[in-house]
Amino acid sequence: MNNLLVVTVLVALLALSSESFRLPRQAEEEEGTVSKISGTVKSYYDSAVDTVSGYVDSIKGLKLEEKAKNLYTETTTVVSTYAGIVQDQIYHFFHQ
């Protein structure tokens, strides 16, 4: 019986002392209205920036600058050729 009493007292002391080692719960901080709105705006802004960056990368992938330069070069070559032909026709028309 003494052993049972000793064991019971030791278990009770262990149980009481283990409660003192518990960490208090940290209260969750509630977000205010302003922080919710700013978080939402920031997420929309980040999403828009990511979308535009994707579009810019896809446009760079199409090499539009190179295509525009080639189109300009080809167009000026064709226009100068036909302008030369028209100029020769006008010259021969008036000097015959």
Side-chain angles (χ1 to χ4, degrees):
M1 181 85 173
N2 273 343
N3 288 340
L4 184 60
L5 182 63
V6 170
V7 170
T8 307
V9 169
L10 288 175
V11 169
L13 286 174
L14 182 65
L16 291 174
S17 64
S18 66
E19 279 189 24
S20 66
F21 288 114
R22 282 188 184 173
L23 295 174
R25 277 191 188 171
Q26 294 179 351
E28 294 182 15
E29 295 180 17
E30 292 185 24
E31 285 189 39
T33 305
V34 174
S35 63
K36 285 182 183 178
I37 291 173
S38 65
T40 304
V41 169
K42 184 178 180 194
S43 68
Y44 285 143
Y45 175 77
D46 291 340
S47 173
V49 167
D50 291 341
T51 303
V52 170
S53 296
Y55 288 153
V56 168
D57 290 342
S58 67
I59 288 172
K60 285 183 180 177
L62 296 175
K63 299 181 182 177
L64 291 179
E65 291 178 15
E66 183 179 334
K67 289 180 182 179
K69 288 178 184 176
N70 290 341
L71 180 65
Y72 174 76
T73 304
E74 292 172 1
T75 304
T76 54
T77 303
V78 169
V79 168
S80 64
T81 302
Y82 284 112
I85 292 171
V86 170
Q87 183 181 4
D88 284 345
Q89 293 294 323
I90 292 173
Y91 175 79
H92 287 293
F93 180 74
F94 285 118
H95 290 279
Q96 279 187 353

